[in-house]
Amino acid sequence: MEKGKVVTLEDRVPKIKQHRKQKANRRLVVYLSLFFILLFLIIYSQSSLSKVSGISVDGNVHVPEEEIIELSEITKETSIWRVDEEKVAEMIQLHKEVSAAEVQRKFPNGVEIRIEEYNRVAYIYESGNYYPVMENGKMLSVLDDEDSLPDDAPLMMNWKNGEMVESFIGELIKLPESIIYSISEIHHTPTDIDQYHITMFMNDGFEVSATVRDFSNKMASYPSIVEQLDPSVKGVINLEVGTFFKPYETTGEEEEETDESDR
């Protein structure tokens, strides 16, 4: 059996010393790194470098960026360390047009705000003014920009009765967005037999005769009704009692029935 090599104590001592020296050097490097990191953080937190230098706002469509920043109460004198993300988000959500808000600190000294707004489902036109109505059913104050005609939601014309407006909006917001935004104008056109009667002009060129009562259930079938019609022949789709279509050129009693079972 081969004998192992004998290592004397004199041979081992230099190696032990070298190992201990390397270990001590590594420990010193770690301590110095921690010291300089802490020193940098202290200097950074006490200097102007920690003050917010920029605030970005994303997701806003109708609410001005300046208004969102003002609600956040964050200024260029605010320390990045004092920005409470959850609290700032809550303050921004107090805005009646904001449905959700998220705030993130972006080091070294930036803040990012992302918001979601309630969709506008209609604009009530009255005396030359436009009043936006949001998807939560709330109506906003008159639009400031009188030169800008709103085109991102249907216009509601000739609506004088506040309770009827509220009832109709309650029905309108039940519809999918795709149907809501396919409507161009919604006119309140009461008759002797139906004070709730409405006339709608669609973006695809059709006209719809309906009533506020049970409007959402009947209007939900609009896409399937249109699929059965010739897109080149425009006319009135009646949703009041049953469902039938009457082309504009029809002058007599001829009406094209739309079979409910086919939809």
Side-chain angles (χ1 to χ4, degrees):
M1 185 174 179
E2 186 179 351
K3 294 183 179 180
K5 183 179 179 180
V6 178
V7 179
T8 63
L9 181 62
E10 288 80 4
D11 293 332
R12 293 184 59 190
V13 168
K15 292 183 178 180
I16 294 174
K17 288 182 177 180
Q18 182 180 6
H19 178 71
R20 287 179 177 176
K21 184 177 181 181
Q22 291 175 345
K23 189 174 182 180
N25 288 340
R26 287 196 296 269
R27 189 181 295 115
L28 177 62
V29 170
V30 171
Y31 288 155
L32 287 174
S33 298
L34 290 175
F35 170 76
F36 284 112
I37 289 173
L38 290 174
L39 181 63
F40 171 76
L41 291 176
I42 292 172
I43 295 173
Y44 171 72
S45 63
Q46 300 298 321
S47 71
S48 60
L49 294 175
S50 66
K51 300 291 180 65
V52 174
S53 65
I55 305 173
S56 65
V57 179
D58 296 320
N60 58 313
V61 178
H62 299 289
V63 183
E65 180 178 311
E66 297 76 14
E67 200 168 333
I68 296 297
I69 295 175
E70 184 177 351
L71 282 171
S72 73
E73 296 185 358
I74 301 174
T75 69
K76 290 187 176 181
E77 296 301 317
T78 304
S79 170
I80 192 71
W81 301 102
R82 294 184 177 275
V83 176
D84 187 327
E85 296 169 332
E86 291 186 5
K87 184 178 179 181
V88 172
E90 289 175 359
M91 290 191 297
I92 293 172
Q93 283 182 239
L94 292 176
H95 194 287
K96 55 188 174 183
E97 292 191 66
V98 176
S99 61
E102 181 182 355
V103 179
Q104 286 187 334
R105 288 179 293 187
K106 296 293 183 179
F107 291 100
N109 49 15
V111 175
E112 183 179 275
I113 300 174
R114 290 189 293 272
I115 71 166
E116 292 181 15
E117 298 179 3
Y118 288 109
N119 291 326
R120 295 183 178 185
V121 296
Y123 290 90
I124 298 177
Y125 178 78
E126 183 179 349
S127 302
N129 295 316
Y130 297 94
Y131 299 85
V133 180
M134 298 183 294
E135 62 182 309
N136 60 357
K138 294 183 179 180
M139 186 171 72
L140 303 175
S141 57
V142 63
L143 288 180
D144 294 331
D145 190 357
E146 297 180 357
D147 297 329
S148 178
L149 178 65
D151 58 1
D152 58 337
L155 296 180
M156 294 177 59
M157 320 282 282
N158 195 39
W159 292 80
K160 306 296 183 182
N161 186 307
E163 292 183 4
M164 195 171 295
V165 169
E166 188 175 340
S167 297
F168 178 73
I169 293 300
E171 290 289 315
L172 184 65
I173 61 180
K174 294 177 184 177
L175 291 172
E177 289 184 4
S178 58
I179 296 181
I180 293 176
Y181 299 127
S182 69
I183 306 172
S184 176
E185 296 180 7
I186 307 167
H187 295 252
H188 179 219
T189 51
T191 64
D192 293 337
I193 59 174
D194 185 9
Q195 291 298 309
Y196 292 86
H197 185 267
I198 59 175
T199 300
M200 294 185 295
F201 298 96
M202 312 300 291
N203 290 325
D204 56 13
F206 289 101
E207 181 181 333
V208 175
S209 178
T211 184
V212 173
R213 290 170 290 193
D214 203 29
F215 169 76
S216 59
N217 287 333
K218 294 180 178 179
M219 191 62 186
S221 303
Y222 181 80
S224 61
I225 294 172
V226 173
E227 284 181 0
Q228 302 175 55
L229 302 175
D230 184 347
S232 65
V233 180
K234 304 303 181 183
V236 180
I237 299 173
N238 194 306
L239 300 178
E240 296 174 65
V241 180
T243 302
F244 61 87
F245 173 68
K246 186 176 182 179
Y248 283 133
E249 60 267 23
T250 298
T251 57
E253 296 294 325
E254 299 178 4
E255 291 174 351
E256 182 182 338
E257 295 287 340
T258 303
D259 189 352
E260 295 282 347
S261 63
D262 292 337
R263 289 187 278 117

